[in-house]
Amino acid sequence: MTCFRGLKEFFRFPKPRKAWLNANLLVAYGIKGIKPLALVEHWRGIFLKNAFLIYDSPEGFVEFHHYVGIICQANVQQKRRFLDEFVKFLFFLRDVKIWHKDFKTHHIMVCKTKKGWQFCLIDSEDVVFTKWKTKYILRSLRQMETSLQRTNVRKLDKIRFIKRFTSLLP
């Protein structure tokens, strides 16, 4: 199995370069947040030995699952506004055909602004530019739910999110 994986990686487009290209496309699509600064690759002949991808992470952004603990302590109106902003972000991603194959809450960053909240994606290697399918939506919701299990999110808040999300589906 390891031999096959190594052979597959040899013929595959290098993951760091894919992450670099996807990160630049996210910036071009208007996804604010982390910005790719540099990609450094060390090749030995035709073999990629090392690669480093350097991002700029603006101040104020925290991982989504950490911020959820803060927002869970807020009043109902603020929770609703947060949910609405997050659902708008998800539908923006859907409208511009951006889907994250590993949509866990630690791959989403959030920042509180004067106007509301701003969200961005990290781990750009797993970003795919394609039309959302129902199976993508279900998979993403399942990934988000499993990555929130260790937080203090109540079932009622999860139900509110699902209700808001599904109410906006076509």
Side-chain angles (χ1 to χ4, degrees), residues 132-146:
W132 283 28
K133 298 177 182 172
T134 303
K135 69 179 184 177
Y136 295 166
I137 295 169
L138 294 174
R139 179 179 172 186
S140 296
L141 291 173
R142 187 173 57 247
Q143 287 173 333
M144 284 184 61
E145 200 280 325
T146 57

Side-chain angles (χ1 to χ4, degrees), residues 26-27 30-35 58-64 67 81-82 84-90 92 108-121:
L26 289 173
V27 170
I31 307 288
K32 295 182 169 70
I34 63 169
K35 294 178 188 167
E59 288 186 38
F61 276 84
V62 294
E63 289 181 354
F64 188 88
Y67 195 81
R81 282 193 309 238
F82 178 78
D84 287 343
E85 292 283 326
F86 184 59
V87 168
K88 285 178 189 175
F89 172 71
L90 294 177
F92 170 76
I108 306 166
M109 301 285 278
V110 60
C111 179
K112 175 81 168 117
T113 64
K114 293 177 184 176
K115 296 179 182 178
W117 290 271
Q118 191 175 0
F119 301 91
C120 72
L121 298 174

Side-chain angles (χ1 to χ4, degrees), residues 154-167:
R154 299 178 325 188
K155 286 191 183 228
L156 180 61
D157 292 326
K158 290 179 182 180
I159 292 168
R160 283 183 181 141
F161 168 73
I162 296 294
K163 184 179 175 184
R164 290 255 192 236
F165 184 77
T166 55
S167 71

Side-chain angles (χ1 to χ4, degrees), residues 4-19 41 43 46-48 101 125-126:
F4 177 70
R5 180 175 287 148
L7 189 61
K8 184 174 98 174
E9 292 300 321
F10 177 74
F11 290 107
R12 174 185 275 176
F13 194 72
K15 287 183 179 184
R17 190 173 303 156
K18 180 180 179 185
E41 296 178 331
W43 290 83
I46 60 171
F47 298 101
L48 178 65
K101 292 190 291 185
E125 161 191 321
D126 290 325

Side-chain angles (χ1 to χ4, degrees), residues 25 44 50 69 156 166:
L25 285 170
R44 183 166 290 154
N50 291 313
L156 180 61
T166 55

